[in-house]
């Protein structure tokens, strides 16, 4: 059952950014998916560490102000290891949309650390790296 629950939380994470077909992205759901105090890290040359709220707000604006439309990202492969009440997942993903009127595609890797709580599995930390 743990694996299925982790799959669901991961899918909800990716779905939070989807604004295809005029649908409103629901990045606020990340507050429910993460533990209080969760951390999000953009790896690479522009290394940035975010709290969940610091991560949500600029993405909410980008996904609702008309600059980024038809956007989605999805997991293409994953490797998940579970040890008791902790789990780690490496995900390869792809993304596409139209940014400032220009279509784009990309992808990268995310690593997600999960902890089982009394309310179910939650994300403790997430780091990602976009392929250049």
């Amino acid at each position: 059952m743990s694996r299925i629950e982790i799959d669901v939380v991961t899918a909800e994470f990716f779905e939070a950014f989807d604004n295809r077909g005029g649908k409103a992205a629901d990045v606020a759901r990340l507050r429910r998916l993460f533990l209080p105090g969760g951390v999000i890290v953009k790896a690479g040359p522009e290394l940035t560490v975010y709290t969940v709220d610091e991560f949500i707000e600029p993405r909410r604006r980008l996904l609702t102000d008309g600059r980024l439309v038809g956007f989605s990202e999805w997991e293409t492969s994953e490797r998940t290891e579970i040890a008791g009440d902790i789990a780690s997942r490496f995900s390869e993903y792809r993304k596409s949309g139209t940014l400032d009127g220009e279509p784009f595609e990309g992808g990268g890797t995310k690593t997600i650390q999960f902890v089982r709580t009394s309310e179910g599995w939650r994300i403790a930390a997430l780091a990602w790296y976009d392929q250049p």
Side-chain angles (χ1 to χ4, degrees), residues 20-35:
R20 291 175 295 174
K23 176 172 73 171
D26 183 18
V27 292
R29 83 168 67 174
L30 299 180
R31 289 183 184 97
R32 178 177 50 80
L33 299 176
F34 277 80
L35 289 173

Side-chain angles (χ1 to χ4, degrees), residues 114-130:
F114 295 90
V115 174
R116 187 187 344 242
T117 72
S118 58
E119 290 84 37
W121 288 92
R122 296 294 181 265
I123 300 170
L126 180 142
W128 89 94
Y129 177 77
D130 284 331

